[in-house]
Amino acid sequence: MSLRRSTRVAAAQAPTTVRSRPIGSTSSPKKASKSSGTKVKNARKSKASAEAATVQPASDFATPDLPSTPKRRKTNASTGNPPPPITPTPTPVGIMTASYSTGDVDDATPPPPPADRPAEPHQTNAPLKTPGGSRLFTYPEKVVDSSPSKTGVPRPTTTTAHLLEEGCAHLIKTDPRLKPVIEKHHCRIFSPEGLAEEIDPFRSLSSGIMAQQVSGAAAKSIKNKFVGLFNPPPANGDESSAQAVSFPTPAQVAVCDVPFLRQAGLSGRKAEYIKGLAEKFVSGELSAELLIKASDEEVLEKLTAVRGLGKWSVEMFACFALKRMDVFSTGDLGVQRGMAALLGRDVAKLKAKGGKWKYMSELDMLEHSAKFAPYRYAYYGMID
């Protein structure tokens, strides 16, 4: 009786939380099978964790918070979007259009003084340098008044001193909203100073190929090494016997093999492109004379036939190097965005759609830009 009474007292003093056995478990674990023993252990573990969760901590003990990584907040793309940044000039354009007289590694000629020469928006307005060192102009003074059937080019409509001025006046007359932009940003490319700069077509196109898909610093380094392949340092370090550094001629490049050209840091494909370009100049398929007399469409057709020169690269060469004013690049995303913004479209939403024509279709761009001809380069230079 005393044993039973002591058992009842101990049970009364025990905590209120009662441990319950899982249903179906046996009182003798030694006689249970292995599978039932595993179930009992798992049940005990789950029961212990449940009990630990239900036990309340003492009032004088505070459980510390466990450290956790804060979740990133999702930004709402539809609100508070800043305006799109200004499109920087791509690397190939800057390298391709580096004229002589810019103090580059292969030329330190002082800039020539501006000269008032005949000009025409649809023609080449830059002086072109031939491999022999002579300079070619679209309109020599002695044949300015000759008929187009004799010269092969249309008669000039203005001069290099007034080409940019007339172009800006046409843009403002067509769309007065462009006036503050034109007044704020001077277009040096078609200024009298810019039109006086001499361009070597082979040098410009080769430099553009070197600059494809690399940074500006890398492109300049490759160009310097490329020029160095054809301009070895003076013997015994005698600087007095050093000759002026010059860009190689097409004939010099055409006879070189691809491994030699790759020493400048060019990829095998780019070395093949430049060698193929040189061969076309040597054979006469391309020449400064052709680029002087060809129309905008002929320039695009002839140069895109060269491996390594796509439509965009040729358009940039025609605009920035040959100084042709009515070349309009519909595939340039900066031009697409600028035109879409000028027309009042939400460029942020248009970009999210993706695809080749992210901002405007080619047909829409040609339709809206037609009224700015023959100065469409100056127009998209303002909106880019």
Side-chain angles (χ1 to χ4, degrees), residues 202-218:
F202 175 68
R203 174 180 182 252
S204 296
L205 292 170
S206 299
S207 300
I209 293 175
M210 296 177 195
Q212 291 175 0
Q213 299 179 344
V214 297
S215 66

Side-chain angles (χ1 to χ4, degrees), residues 231-242:
N231 295 270
N236 302 323
D238 185 8
E239 297 293 338
S240 60
S241 62

Side-chain angles (χ1 to χ4, degrees), residues 86 257 346 359 377 383-384:
I86 297 175
D257 55 18
D346 191 338
Y359 301 101
Y377 161 75
I383 63 175
D384 188 0

Side-chain angles (χ1 to χ4, degrees), residues 19 42-55:
R19 295 186 179 183
N42 293 337
R44 288 177 179 175
K45 289 182 180 179
S46 60
K47 178 186 65 177
S49 60
E51 289 177 354
T54 56
V55 174

Side-chain angles (χ1 to χ4, degrees), residues 8-343:
R8 290 197 300 271
V9 172
Q13 295 177 352
T16 57
T17 304
V18 180
R19 295 186 179 183
S20 60
R21 287 185 177 274
I23 300 174
S25 63
T26 59
S27 59
S28 178
K30 291 183 180 181
K31 296 181 181 181
S33 62
K34 292 183 179 180
S35 59
S36 61
T38 305
K39 293 181 180 179
V40 171
K41 290 181 180 179
N42 293 337
R44 288 177 179 175
K45 289 182 180 179
S46 60
K47 178 186 65 177
S49 60
E51 289 177 354
T54 56
V55 174
Q56 299 294 330
S59 59
D60 58 347
F61 178 79
T63 304
D65 295 332
L66 297 177
S68 61
T69 304
K71 295 182 179 180
R72 292 184 178 181
R73 294 183 178 179
K74 294 183 179 181
T75 57
N76 189 359
S78 61
T79 58
N81 279 330
I86 297 175
T87 305
T89 301
T91 298
V93 174
I95 299 295
M96 180 191 301
T97 59
S99 63
Y100 283 95
S101 74
T102 56
D104 208 347
V105 62
D106 54 337
D107 188 82
T109 307
D116 193 10
R117 298 180 285 103
E120 162 61 31
H122 284 288
Q123 296 301 128
T124 296
N125 293 297
L128 300 188
K129 181 180 179 181
T130 66
S134 60
R135 303 177 72 198
L136 295 181
F137 298 93
T138 301
Y139 298 102
E141 294 182 2
K142 61 182 179 181
V143 295
V144 167
D145 295 329
S146 301
S147 64
S149 60
K150 294 181 179 180
T151 61
V153 292
R155 284 193 175 94
T157 57
T158 184
T159 64
T160 54
H162 302 94
L163 181 63
L164 179 62
E165 179 183 351
E166 293 177 4
C168 292
H170 178 72
L171 297 184
I172 295 174
K173 181 180 178 180
T174 306
D175 192 336
R177 293 177 298 171
L178 295 174
K179 183 177 180 180
V181 181
I182 292 174
E183 293 177 346
K184 184 178 180 181
H185 301 282
H186 174 63
C187 181
R188 187 185 182 281
I189 296 293
F190 290 99
S191 67
E193 296 79 14
L195 294 174
E197 295 175 344
E198 188 177 277
I199 295 294
D200 178 355
F202 175 68
R203 174 180 182 252
S204 296
L205 292 170
S206 299
S207 300
I209 293 175
M210 296 177 195
Q212 291 175 0
Q213 299 179 344
V214 297
S215 66
K220 188 172 183 178
S221 174
I222 292 172
K223 181 180 178 181
N224 292 348
K225 293 177 182 177
F226 184 83
V227 173
L229 293 177
F230 301 89
N231 295 270
N236 302 323
D238 185 8
E239 297 293 338
S240 60
S241 62
Q243 298 180 353
V245 177
S246 60
F247 198 86
T249 63
Q252 289 177 295
V253 177
V255 297
C256 298
D257 55 18
V258 171
F260 176 79
L261 299 178
R262 291 196 63 186
Q263 296 180 52
L266 293 167
S267 65
R269 190 61 59 87
K270 287 185 178 181
E272 293 175 0
Y273 293 162
I274 294 175
K275 179 177 172 63
L277 177 66
E279 292 171 348
K280 286 189 177 293
F281 272 95
V282 171
S283 67
E285 293 183 56
L286 295 177
S287 65
E289 292 83 356
L290 182 147
L291 297 174
I292 283 285
K293 295 184 177 182
S295 65
D296 294 336
E297 294 77 16
E298 290 171 338
V299 170
L300 184 63
E301 179 185 356
K302 290 288 186 181
L303 293 182
T304 52
V306 181
R307 292 180 63 209
L309 294 177
K311 183 181 179 182
W312 181 86
S313 297
V314 175
E315 289 171 340
M316 296 301 104
F317 171 74
C319 291
F320 293 91
L322 300 183
K323 309 295 195 305
R324 291 173 176 250
M325 288 203 76
D326 201 41
V327 178
F328 191 68
S329 181
T330 57
D332 191 297
L333 292 180
V335 178
Q336 292 181 25
R337 180 177 61 181
M339 180 175 281
L342 187 65
L343 295 175

